[in-house]
PDB file of all heavy atoms in Angstrom:
ATOM      1  N   TYR A 116      -8.043  24.550 -13.673  1.00 98.00           N
ATOM      2  CA  TYR A 116      -8.089  24.463 -15.166  1.00 98.00           C
ATOM      3  C   TYR A 116      -9.417  25.148 -15.667  1.00 98.00           C
ATOM      4  O   TYR A 116     -10.455  25.065 -14.950  1.00 98.00           O
ATOM      5  CB  TYR A 116      -8.094  23.013 -15.609  1.00 98.00           C
ATOM      6  CG  TYR A 116      -6.757  22.328 -15.648  1.00 98.00           C
ATOM      7  CD1 TYR A 116      -6.355  21.522 -14.539  1.00 98.00           C
ATOM      8  CD2 TYR A 116      -5.905  22.346 -16.775  1.00 98.00           C
ATOM      9  CE1 TYR A 116      -5.210  20.903 -14.615  1.00 98.00           C
ATOM     10  CE2 TYR A 116      -4.685  21.701 -16.714  1.00 98.00           C
ATOM     11  CZ  TYR A 116      -4.355  20.931 -15.608  1.00 98.00           C
ATOM     12  OH  TYR A 116      -3.203  20.264 -15.633  1.00 98.00           O
ATOM     13  N   ALA A 117      -9.272  25.779 -16.827  1.00 98.00           N
ATOM     14  CA  ALA A 117     -10.626  26.302 -17.419  1.00 98.00           C
ATOM     15  C   ALA A 117     -10.785  25.418 -18.782  1.00 98.00           C
ATOM     16  O   ALA A 117      -9.864  24.844 -19.322  1.00 98.00           O
ATOM     17  CB  ALA A 117     -10.429  27.647 -17.836  1.00 98.00           C
ATOM     18  N   LYS A 118     -12.056  25.357 -19.131  1.00 97.00           N
ATOM     19  CA  LYS A 118     -12.403  24.500 -20.303  1.00 97.00           C
ATOM     20  C   LYS A 118     -11.786  25.224 -21.588  1.00 97.00           C
ATOM     21  O   LYS A 118     -11.952  26.406 -21.711  1.00 97.00           O
ATOM     22  CB  LYS A 118     -13.906  24.406 -20.427  1.00 97.00           C
ATOM     23  CG  LYS A 118     -14.347  23.388 -21.425  1.00 97.00           C
ATOM     24  CD  LYS A 118     -15.769  22.988 -21.302  1.00 97.00           C
ATOM     25  CE  LYS A 118     -16.134  21.845 -22.225  1.00 97.00           C
ATOM     26  NZ  LYS A 118     -17.373  21.274 -22.051  1.00 97.00           N
ATOM     27  N   ALA A 119     -11.090  24.420 -22.377  1.00 97.00           N
ATOM     28  CA  ALA A 119     -10.498  25.043 -23.586  1.00 97.00           C
ATOM     29  C   ALA A 119     -11.555  25.184 -24.751  1.00 97.00           C
ATOM     30  O   ALA A 119     -12.639  24.542 -24.717  1.00 97.00           O
ATOM     31  CB  ALA A 119      -9.484  23.967 -24.190  1.00 97.00           C
ATOM     32  N   GLY A 120     -11.318  26.159 -25.662  1.00 96.00           N
ATOM     33  CA  GLY A 120     -12.261  26.407 -26.764  1.00 96.00           C
ATOM     34  C   GLY A 120     -12.244  25.241 -27.781  1.00 96.00           C
ATOM     35  O   GLY A 120     -13.212  24.942 -28.434  1.00 96.00           O
ATOM     36  N   SER A 121     -11.187  24.532 -27.871  1.00 96.00           N
ATOM     37  CA  SER A 121     -11.103  23.366 -28.678  1.00 96.00           C
ATOM     38  C   SER A 121      -9.949  22.453 -28.190  1.00 96.00           C
ATOM     39  O   SER A 121      -9.044  22.742 -27.411  1.00 96.00           O
ATOM     40  CB  SER A 121     -10.733  23.818 -30.107  1.00 96.00           C
ATOM     41  OG  SER A 121      -9.401  24.274 -30.141  1.00 96.00           O
ATOM     42  N   MET A 122      -9.961  21.167 -28.677  1.00 95.00           N
ATOM     43  CA  MET A 122      -9.026  20.234 -28.198  1.00 95.00           C
ATOM     44  C   MET A 122      -7.579  20.704 -28.530  1.00 95.00           C
ATOM     45  O   MET A 122      -6.720  20.595 -27.792  1.00 95.00           O
ATOM     46  CB  MET A 122      -9.296  18.863 -28.928  1.00 95.00           C
ATOM     47  CG  MET A 122      -8.508  17.770 -28.227  1.00 95.00           C
ATOM     48  SD  MET A 122      -8.437  16.205 -29.209  1.00 95.00           S
ATOM     49  CE  MET A 122      -9.916  15.525 -29.001  1.00 95.00           C
ATOM     50  N   GLN A 123      -7.482  21.287 -29.782  1.00 93.00           N
ATOM     51  CA  GLN A 123      -6.196  21.732 -30.266  1.00 93.00           C
ATOM     52  C   GLN A 123      -5.452  22.704 -29.331  1.00 93.00           C
ATOM     53  O   GLN A 123      -4.273  22.739 -29.241  1.00 93.00           O
ATOM     54  CB  GLN A 123      -6.230  22.250 -31.616  1.00 93.00           C
ATOM     55  CG  GLN A 123      -6.472  21.285 -32.801  1.00 93.00           C
ATOM     56  CD  GLN A 123      -7.893  20.587 -32.704  1.00 93.00           C
ATOM     57  OE1 GLN A 123      -8.795  21.134 -32.102  1.00 93.00           O
ATOM     58  NE2 GLN A 123      -7.980  19.398 -33.307  1.00 93.00           N
ATOM     59  N   LYS A 124      -6.299  23.509 -28.658  1.00 93.00           N
ATOM     60  CA  LYS A 124      -5.649  24.523 -27.864  1.00 93.00           C
ATOM     61  C   LYS A 124      -5.403  24.161 -26.315  1.00 93.00           C
ATOM     62  O   LYS A 124      -4.991  24.951 -25.571  1.00 93.00           O
ATOM     63  CB  LYS A 124      -6.635  25.733 -27.853  1.00 93.00           C
ATOM     64  CG  LYS A 124      -6.726  26.361 -29.263  1.00 93.00           C
ATOM     65  CD  LYS A 124      -7.333  27.862 -29.098  1.00 93.00           C
ATOM     66  CE  LYS A 124      -7.424  28.475 -30.449  1.00 93.00           C
ATOM     67  NZ  LYS A 124      -8.892  28.656 -30.837  1.00 93.00           N
ATOM     68  N   ALA A 125      -5.912  23.061 -25.966  1.00 97.00           N
ATOM     69  CA  ALA A 125      -5.847  22.534 -24.623  1.00 97.00           C
ATOM     70  C   ALA A 125      -4.439  22.239 -24.066  1.00 97.00           C
ATOM     71  O   ALA A 125      -3.729  21.693 -24.816  1.00 97.00           O
ATOM     72  CB  ALA A 125      -6.839  21.354 -24.356  1.00 97.00           C
ATOM     73  N   ASP A 126      -4.234  22.519 -22.800  1.00 97.00           N
ATOM     74  CA  ASP A 126      -3.024  22.119 -22.085  1.00 97.00           C
ATOM     75  C   ASP A 126      -3.159  20.683 -21.626  1.00 97.00           C
ATOM     76  O   ASP A 126      -2.106  20.023 -21.428  1.00 97.00           O
ATOM     77  CB  ASP A 126      -2.711  23.001 -21.005  1.00 97.00           C
ATOM     78  CG  ASP A 126      -2.550  24.525 -21.460  1.00 97.00           C
ATOM     79  OD1 ASP A 126      -1.650  24.669 -22.218  1.00 97.00           O
ATOM     80  OD2 ASP A 126      -3.339  25.253 -21.078  1.00 97.00           O
ATOM     81  N   LEU A 127      -4.308  20.239 -21.391  1.00 98.00           N
ATOM     82  CA  LEU A 127      -4.516  18.842 -20.921  1.00 98.00           C
ATOM     83  C   LEU A 127      -5.769  18.271 -21.699  1.00 98.00           C
ATOM     84  O   LEU A 127      -6.724  18.815 -21.837  1.00 98.00           O
ATOM     85  CB  LEU A 127      -5.051  18.960 -19.351  1.00 98.00           C
ATOM     86  CG  LEU A 127      -5.730  17.723 -18.758  1.00 98.00           C
ATOM     87  CD1 LEU A 127      -4.697  16.591 -18.698  1.00 98.00           C
ATOM     88  CD2 LEU A 127      -6.245  18.061 -17.349  1.00 98.00           C
ATOM     89  N   ILE A 128      -5.410  17.179 -22.296  1.00 98.00           N
ATOM     90  CA  ILE A 128      -6.443  16.484 -23.050  1.00 98.00           C
ATOM     91  C   ILE A 128      -6.684  15.036 -22.405  1.00 98.00           C
ATOM     92  O   ILE A 128      -5.719  14.357 -22.252  1.00 98.00           O
ATOM     93  CB  ILE A 128      -5.993  16.286 -24.474  1.00 98.00           C
ATOM     94  CG1 ILE A 128      -5.847  17.626 -25.198  1.00 98.00           C
ATOM     95  CG2 ILE A 128      -7.033  15.428 -25.330  1.00 98.00           C
ATOM     96  CD1 ILE A 128      -5.328  17.568 -26.614  1.00 98.00           C
ATOM     97  N   LEU A 129      -7.838  14.806 -22.055  1.00 98.00           N
ATOM     98  CA  LEU A 129      -8.181  13.441 -21.606  1.00 98.00           C
ATOM     99  C   LEU A 129      -9.117  12.730 -22.547  1.00 98.00           C
ATOM    100  O   LEU A 129     -10.147  13.319 -22.989  1.00 98.00           O
ATOM    101  CB  LEU A 129      -8.822  13.542 -20.203  1.00 98.00           C
ATOM    102  CG  LEU A 129      -8.054  14.115 -19.015  1.00 98.00           C
ATOM    103  CD1 LEU A 129      -8.847  14.167 -17.816  1.00 98.00           C
ATOM    104  CD2 LEU A 129      -6.860  13.151 -18.822  1.00 98.00           C
ATOM    105  N   LEU A 130      -8.765  11.530 -22.903  1.00 98.00           N
ATOM    106  CA  LEU A 130      -9.682  10.745 -23.819  1.00 98.00           C
ATOM    107  C   LEU A 130     -10.444   9.706 -22.889  1.00 98.00           C
ATOM    108  O   LEU A 130      -9.644   8.790 -22.360  1.00 98.00           O
ATOM    109  CB  LEU A 130      -8.950  10.015 -24.987  1.00 98.00           C
ATOM    110  CG  LEU A 130      -8.107  10.916 -25.860  1.00 98.00           C
ATOM    111  CD1 LEU A 130      -7.492  10.020 -27.022  1.00 98.00           C
ATOM    112  CD2 LEU A 130      -8.891  12.103 -26.440  1.00 98.00           C
ATOM    113  N   ASN A 131     -11.627   9.825 -22.685  1.00 98.00           N
ATOM    114  CA  ASN A 131     -12.436   8.900 -21.911  1.00 98.00           C
ATOM    115  C   ASN A 131     -13.035   7.890 -22.814  1.00 98.00           C
ATOM    116  O   ASN A 131     -13.962   8.213 -23.484  1.00 98.00           O
ATOM    117  CB  ASN A 131     -13.486   9.696 -21.152  1.00 98.00           C
ATOM    118  CG  ASN A 131     -14.237   8.851 -20.056  1.00 98.00           C
ATOM    119  OD1 ASN A 131     -13.753   7.743 -19.812  1.00 98.00           O
ATOM    120  ND2 ASN A 131     -15.228   9.418 -19.380  1.00 98.00           N
ATOM    121  N   THR A 132     -12.453   6.765 -22.816  1.00 98.00           N
ATOM    122  CA  THR A 132     -12.599   5.769 -23.932  1.00 98.00           C
ATOM    123  C   THR A 132     -13.718   4.751 -23.673  1.00 98.00           C
ATOM    124  O   THR A 132     -14.067   4.450 -22.560  1.00 98.00           O
ATOM    125  CB  THR A 132     -11.303   5.085 -24.154  1.00 98.00           C
ATOM    126  OG1 THR A 132     -10.990   4.321 -23.001  1.00 98.00           O
ATOM    127  CG2 THR A 132     -10.157   6.059 -24.498  1.00 98.00           C
ATOM    128  N   CYS A 133     -14.027   4.096 -24.774  1.00 98.00           N
ATOM    129  CA  CYS A 133     -15.085   2.989 -24.734  1.00 98.00           C
ATOM    130  C   CYS A 133     -14.557   1.791 -25.369  1.00 98.00           C
ATOM    131  O   CYS A 133     -13.811   1.843 -26.399  1.00 98.00           O
ATOM    132  CB  CYS A 133     -16.290   3.561 -25.564  1.00 98.00           C
ATOM    133  SG  CYS A 133     -17.496   2.175 -25.859  1.00 98.00           S
ATOM    134  N   ALA A 134     -14.838   0.583 -24.810  1.00 97.00           N
ATOM    135  CA  ALA A 134     -14.240  -0.597 -25.227  1.00 97.00           C
ATOM    136  C   ALA A 134     -15.302  -1.539 -25.805  1.00 97.00           C
ATOM    137  O   ALA A 134     -14.977  -2.777 -26.101  1.00 97.00           O
ATOM    138  CB  ALA A 134     -13.510  -1.397 -24.054  1.00 97.00           C
ATOM    139  N   ILE A 135     -16.446  -1.103 -25.976  1.00 97.00           N
ATOM    140  CA  ILE A 135     -17.558  -2.088 -26.171  1.00 97.00           C
ATOM    141  C   ILE A 135     -17.494  -2.840 -27.495  1.00 97.00           C
ATOM    142  O   ILE A 135     -17.795  -3.940 -27.529  1.00 97.00           O
ATOM    143  CB  ILE A 135     -18.961  -1.318 -26.074  1.00 97.00           C
ATOM    144  CG1 ILE A 135     -20.082  -2.444 -25.856  1.00 97.00           C
ATOM    145  CG2 ILE A 135     -19.290  -0.436 -27.216  1.00 97.00           C
ATOM    146  CD1 ILE A 135     -20.404  -2.586 -24.398  1.00 97.00           C
ATOM    147  N   ARG A 136     -16.949  -2.166 -28.513  1.00 97.00           N
ATOM    148  CA  ARG A 136     -16.760  -2.805 -29.917  1.00 97.00           C
ATOM    149  C   ARG A 136     -15.460  -2.286 -30.462  1.00 97.00           C
ATOM    150  O   ARG A 136     -14.861  -1.249 -30.007  1.00 97.00           O
ATOM    151  CB  ARG A 136     -17.889  -2.466 -30.740  1.00 97.00           C
ATOM    152  CG  ARG A 136     -19.158  -3.201 -30.551  1.00 97.00           C
ATOM    153  CD  ARG A 136     -20.294  -2.699 -31.315  1.00 97.00           C
ATOM    154  NE  ARG A 136     -20.708  -1.352 -30.885  1.00 97.00           N
ATOM    155  CZ  ARG A 136     -21.580  -1.097 -29.826  1.00 97.00           C
ATOM    156  NH1 ARG A 136     -22.136  -2.190 -29.259  1.00 97.00           N
ATOM    157  NH2 ARG A 136     -21.761   0.097 -29.453  1.00 97.00           N
ATOM    158  N   GLU A 137     -14.967  -3.083 -31.415  1.00 96.00           N
ATOM    159  CA  GLU A 137     -13.566  -2.727 -31.977  1.00 96.00           C
ATOM    160  C   GLU A 137     -13.572  -1.366 -32.623  1.00 96.00           C
ATOM    161  O   GLU A 137     -12.565  -0.666 -32.414  1.00 96.00           O
ATOM    162  CB  GLU A 137     -13.225  -3.802 -33.004  1.00 96.00           C
ATOM    163  CG  GLU A 137     -11.767  -3.747 -33.328  1.00 96.00           C
ATOM    164  CD  GLU A 137     -11.315  -4.740 -34.385  1.00 96.00           C
ATOM    165  OE1 GLU A 137     -12.197  -5.599 -34.823  1.00 96.00           O
ATOM    166  OE2 GLU A 137     -10.157  -4.707 -34.759  1.00 96.00           O
ATOM    167  N   ASN A 138     -14.677  -1.022 -33.317  1.00 95.00           N
ATOM    168  CA  ASN A 138     -14.672   0.296 -33.904  1.00 95.00           C
ATOM    169  C   ASN A 138     -14.590   1.478 -32.966  1.00 95.00           C
ATOM    170  O   ASN A 138     -14.078   2.474 -33.288  1.00 95.00           O
ATOM    171  CB  ASN A 138     -15.826   0.496 -35.005  1.00 95.00           C
ATOM    172  CG  ASN A 138     -17.182   0.307 -34.430  1.00 95.00           C
ATOM    173  OD1 ASN A 138     -17.248   0.127 -33.143  1.00 95.00           O
ATOM    174  ND2 ASN A 138     -18.158   0.246 -35.299  1.00 95.00           N
ATOM    175  N   ALA A 139     -15.103   1.276 -31.732  1.00 95.00           N
ATOM    176  CA  ALA A 139     -14.997   2.260 -30.695  1.00 95.00           C
ATOM    177  C   ALA A 139     -13.539   2.495 -30.399  1.00 95.00           C
ATOM    178  O   ALA A 139     -12.996   3.618 -30.132  1.00 95.00           O
ATOM    179  CB  ALA A 139     -15.858   1.908 -29.457  1.00 95.00           C
ATOM    180  N   GLU A 140     -12.816   1.365 -30.369  1.00 96.00           N
ATOM    181  CA  GLU A 140     -11.390   1.430 -29.951  1.00 96.00           C
ATOM    182  C   GLU A 140     -10.607   2.075 -31.033  1.00 96.00           C
ATOM    183  O   GLU A 140      -9.680   2.792 -30.807  1.00 96.00           O
ATOM    184  CB  GLU A 140     -10.902   0.077 -29.656  1.00 96.00           C
ATOM    185  CG  GLU A 140     -11.581  -0.539 -28.457  1.00 96.00           C
ATOM    186  CD  GLU A 140     -10.739  -1.615 -27.804  1.00 96.00           C
ATOM    187  OE1 GLU A 140      -9.737  -2.105 -28.212  1.00 96.00           O
ATOM    188  OE2 GLU A 140     -11.198  -2.075 -26.661  1.00 96.00           O
ATOM    189  N   ASN A 141     -10.901   1.686 -32.312  1.00 97.00           N
ATOM    190  CA  ASN A 141     -10.200   2.215 -33.361  1.00 97.00           C
ATOM    191  C   ASN A 141     -10.361   3.794 -33.453  1.00 97.00           C
ATOM    192  O   ASN A 141      -9.296   4.426 -33.831  1.00 97.00           O
ATOM    193  CB  ASN A 141     -10.723   1.625 -34.682  1.00 97.00           C
ATOM    194  CG  ASN A 141     -10.268   0.196 -34.866  1.00 97.00           C
ATOM    195  OD1 ASN A 141      -9.387  -0.260 -34.144  1.00 97.00           O
ATOM    196  ND2 ASN A 141     -10.957  -0.573 -35.745  1.00 97.00           N
ATOM    197  N   LYS A 142     -11.422   4.257 -33.136  1.00 97.00           N
ATOM    198  CA  LYS A 142     -11.611   5.696 -33.159  1.00 97.00           C
ATOM    199  C   LYS A 142     -10.644   6.426 -32.162  1.00 97.00           C
ATOM    200  O   LYS A 142      -9.993   7.420 -32.472  1.00 97.00           O
ATOM    201  CB  LYS A 142     -13.017   6.168 -32.645  1.00 97.00           C
ATOM    202  CG  LYS A 142     -14.078   6.212 -33.696  1.00 97.00           C
ATOM    203  CD  LYS A 142     -15.304   6.845 -33.136  1.00 97.00           C
ATOM    204  CE  LYS A 142     -16.513   6.102 -33.570  1.00 97.00           C
ATOM    205  NZ  LYS A 142     -17.727   6.313 -32.849  1.00 97.00           N
ATOM    206  N   VAL A 143     -10.384   5.803 -31.002  1.00 97.00           N
ATOM    207  CA  VAL A 143      -9.501   6.314 -30.058  1.00 97.00           C
ATOM    208  C   VAL A 143      -8.133   6.298 -30.566  1.00 97.00           C
ATOM    209  O   VAL A 143      -7.287   7.202 -30.431  1.00 97.00           O
ATOM    210  CB  VAL A 143      -9.603   5.620 -28.631  1.00 97.00           C
ATOM    211  CG1 VAL A 143      -8.599   6.040 -27.697  1.00 97.00           C
ATOM    212  CG2 VAL A 143     -11.053   5.925 -28.071  1.00 97.00           C
ATOM    213  N   PHE A 144      -7.749   5.131 -31.055  1.00 97.00           N
ATOM    214  CA  PHE A 144      -6.223   5.081 -31.615  1.00 97.00           C
ATOM    215  C   PHE A 144      -6.089   6.021 -32.767  1.00 97.00           C
ATOM    216  O   PHE A 144      -5.049   6.670 -32.855  1.00 97.00           O
ATOM    217  CB  PHE A 144      -5.980   3.656 -32.001  1.00 97.00           C
ATOM    218  CG  PHE A 144      -5.731   2.690 -30.839  1.00 97.00           C
ATOM    219  CD1 PHE A 144      -6.527   1.700 -30.637  1.00 97.00           C
ATOM    220  CD2 PHE A 144      -4.655   3.034 -29.990  1.00 97.00           C
ATOM    221  CE1 PHE A 144      -6.291   0.881 -29.510  1.00 97.00           C
ATOM    222  CE2 PHE A 144      -4.409   2.236 -28.855  1.00 97.00           C
ATOM    223  CZ  PHE A 144      -5.227   1.112 -28.690  1.00 97.00           C
ATOM    224  N   GLY A 145      -7.146   6.268 -33.603  1.00 97.00           N
ATOM    225  CA  GLY A 145      -7.066   7.270 -34.607  1.00 97.00           C
ATOM    226  C   GLY A 145      -6.877   8.658 -34.061  1.00 97.00           C
ATOM    227  O   GLY A 145      -5.962   9.414 -34.617  1.00 97.00           O
ATOM    228  N   GLU A 146      -7.566   9.024 -33.057  1.00 97.00           N
ATOM    229  CA  GLU A 146      -7.501  10.304 -32.365  1.00 97.00           C
ATOM    230  C   GLU A 146      -6.061  10.460 -31.764  1.00 97.00           C
ATOM    231  O   GLU A 146      -5.403  11.508 -31.888  1.00 97.00           O
ATOM    232  CB  GLU A 146      -8.519  10.528 -31.343  1.00 97.00           C
ATOM    233  CG  GLU A 146      -8.678  11.882 -30.746  1.00 97.00           C
ATOM    234  CD  GLU A 146      -9.143  12.893 -31.770  1.00 97.00           C
ATOM    235  OE1 GLU A 146     -10.239  12.726 -32.237  1.00 97.00           O
ATOM    236  OE2 GLU A 146      -8.382  13.785 -32.066  1.00 97.00           O
ATOM    237  N   LEU A 147      -5.622   9.408 -31.092  1.00 97.00           N
ATOM    238  CA  LEU A 147      -4.301   9.534 -30.531  1.00 97.00           C
ATOM    239  C   LEU A 147      -3.186   9.650 -31.595  1.00 97.00           C
ATOM    240  O   LEU A 147      -2.206  10.448 -31.417  1.00 97.00           O
ATOM    241  CB  LEU A 147      -3.942   8.141 -29.757  1.00 97.00           C
ATOM    242  CG  LEU A 147      -4.536   8.027 -28.444  1.00 97.00           C
ATOM    243  CD1 LEU A 147      -4.249   6.754 -27.817  1.00 97.00           C
ATOM    244  CD2 LEU A 147      -3.921   9.113 -27.509  1.00 97.00           C
ATOM    245  N   GLY A 148      -3.386   9.115 -32.705  1.00 96.00           N
ATOM    246  CA  GLY A 148      -2.429   9.273 -33.784  1.00 96.00           C
ATOM    247  C   GLY A 148      -2.401  10.812 -34.226  1.00 96.00           C
ATOM    248  O   GLY A 148      -1.382  11.425 -34.431  1.00 96.00           O
ATOM    249  N   ARG A 149      -3.539  11.471 -34.317  1.00 95.00           N
ATOM    250  CA  ARG A 149      -3.713  12.812 -34.677  1.00 95.00           C
ATOM    251  C   ARG A 149      -3.037  13.776 -33.553  1.00 95.00           C
ATOM    252  O   ARG A 149      -2.473  14.725 -33.787  1.00 95.00           O
ATOM    253  CB  ARG A 149      -5.050  13.257 -34.849  1.00 95.00           C
ATOM    254  CG  ARG A 149      -5.638  12.766 -36.191  1.00 95.00           C
ATOM    255  CD  ARG A 149      -6.990  13.303 -36.500  1.00 95.00           C
ATOM    256  NE  ARG A 149      -8.101  12.903 -35.741  1.00 95.00           N
ATOM    257  CZ  ARG A 149      -8.588  11.660 -35.976  1.00 95.00           C
ATOM    258  NH1 ARG A 149      -8.356  10.871 -36.921  1.00 95.00           N
ATOM    259  NH2 ARG A 149      -9.733  11.225 -35.115  1.00 95.00           N
TER     260      ARG A 149
END
Side-chain angles (χ1 to χ4, degrees):
Y116 283 94
K118 194 166 182 169
S121 70
M122 191 196 287
Q123 284 68 21
K124 294 198 181 117
D126 300 297
L127 165 66
I128 298 174
L129 294 176
L130 304 186
N131 189 6
T132 62
C133 170
I135 199 94
R136 281 170 292 274
E137 194 183 357
N138 57 5
E140 298 202 349
N141 289 343
K142 270 193 224 161
V143 171
F144 283 117
E146 190 63 64
L147 277 174
R149 288 188 287 279

